[in-house]
Amino acid sequence: MSDDSRHHRTAAVIPAAGRGVRLGPGAPKALRALNGTPMLVHAVRAMAASRAVSLVVVVAPPDGAPEVKLLLDAHALPERTDYLVVPGGDSRQESVRLGLDALPDDITAVLVHDAARPLVPEETVDAVVAAVHGGAPAVVPALPLADTVKQVEPAAKGEPEPVVATPDRAVLRAVQTPQGFDRDTLVRAHDTVTDNVTDDASMVEQLGLPVVVVPGHEEAFKVTRPLDLVLAEAVLARRRANDGF
C-alpha cells in the first residue's frame, strides 16, 4: 500500500438502528428482504464495492449487534473490505457518533450512508470519496428536482396548508447518501452541534464550513414505503438482466 493510499484511508459508517415504521410492522427497515437479501447487506455491499472504502462500520440496534454480525457473516462481502458492527443509540445522530468512535486512528475520510439506500451505484460512492480526498470538508450527492416545490404554512392535521412561496427549483437539490467528510471535520461537528438534525452535512454547515454537491444517481433512492420496495426489486431485476448482478 502506498503512502498516498494510507493518507486517504476511508471508512463508511452505516447507521441501521432505526425501525422504519413507514414500512409497517415487522423487522427493522434495514433488515427487510430485498430480492431475498436484507437491505442492510445490499447497503454494505454497495459501500464495499468501492475500492476506496477499506472499512464499513454498521451501527446496529442497541440490543441487536450480535444478530447483525451473524447476518453479515452469513452473506458474501468483498474480501478486501473489513467490517465492524457496533451497538447504536436512541437517535440517528447518536448512532453515527458511536460509529465514528469505533473507527481506527488511521481513517482520515468518512462516508455516512443510509441503510435504506441499498442500491447506490459504485460510481456515486467513488465521486463522493474523490471530492473529499480533493480537499472538500463535506460532500453530498444530489439530484435536481423534477417537481415544483411549494413552501407552505403548517396547518392543523387534515386542514389545507396555505402556500407562502414557490422556490426556484433550479437552485434546489434532493440530497442522497453516502455523504462524505474529512474525519476531523465530522467529529468536530458531532462534538459541537447538539440539535437532532436529519443529516450530517447540515451539522457541518452549522460550523460555517463549505459543503459541496456532486451528481447523485436515480438508483440511490431511499426505501421508506412499500412502493419503494417494488421499485428496488425492479432495479435489481434490471441489473441482473443487464450485467448478471
Side-chain angles (χ1 to χ4, degrees):
M1 183 181 293
S2 69
D3 289 342
D4 185 62
S5 60
R6 290 179 191 274
H7 178 68
H8 291 311
R9 192 160 186 255
T10 300
V13 174
I14 303 180
R19 294 206 58 85
V21 294
R22 281 178 289 180
L23 275 177
K29 177 166 57 177
L31 302 183
R32 298 294 181 91
L34 180 58
N35 191 35
T37 300
M39 278 200 293
L40 176 60
V41 174
H42 287 285
V44 173
R45 286 174 174 169
M47 296 298 98
S50 171
R51 292 186 177 276
V53 176
S54 56
L55 173 67
V56 179
V57 177
V58 176
V59 188
D63 58 352
E67 291 81 1
V68 171
K69 177 66 164 57
L70 289 173
L71 178 74
L72 294 179
D73 287 343
H75 290 81
L77 300 172
E79 292 183 0
R80 67 176 180 272
T81 304
D82 294 329
Y83 66 91
L84 299 173
V85 179
V86 299
D90 293 331
S91 68
R92 182 187 184 281
Q93 187 171 338
E94 183 181 355
S95 292
V96 172
R97 181 54 200 250
L98 290 168
L100 290 175
D101 289 344
L103 296 179
D105 291 340
D106 63 346
I107 294 295
T108 59
V110 181
L111 305 179
V112 181
H113 184 56
D114 294 332
R117 296 184 190 270
L119 303 179
V120 58
E122 180 181 348
E123 57 265 30
T124 303
V125 180
D126 289 344
V128 172
V129 173
V132 177
H133 290 176
V139 182
V140 297
L143 293 175
L145 298 183
D147 298 320
T148 297
V149 176
K150 299 291 185 182
Q151 181 180 344
V152 300
E153 184 72 32
K157 186 176 182 180
E159 293 296 316
E161 297 174 321
V163 172
V164 297
T166 303
D168 180 6
R169 71 182 184 190
V171 297
L172 299 176
R173 297 292 182 268
V175 173
Q176 302 174 325
T177 69
Q179 298 184 354
F181 304 90
D182 167 74
R183 178 185 181 168
D184 291 342
T185 298
L186 186 57
V187 169
R188 178 184 162 202
H190 276 267
D191 285 342
T192 306
V193 178
T194 58
D195 297 338
N196 190 18
V197 296
T198 57
D199 78 339
D200 297 88
S202 62
M203 299 173 69
V204 174
E205 290 176 51
Q206 291 187 45
L207 296 181
L209 298 174
V211 177
V212 301
V213 171
V214 298
H217 196 284
E218 61 183 5
E219 293 181 1
F221 61 90
K222 192 173 187 179
V223 177
T224 57
R225 297 174 175 86
L227 184 59
D228 299 326
L229 284 171
V230 176
L231 179 58
E233 293 278 7
V235 170
L236 285 174
R238 187 185 67 185
R239 288 182 180 181
R240 290 195 303 270
N242 289 346
D243 54 23
F245 175 82

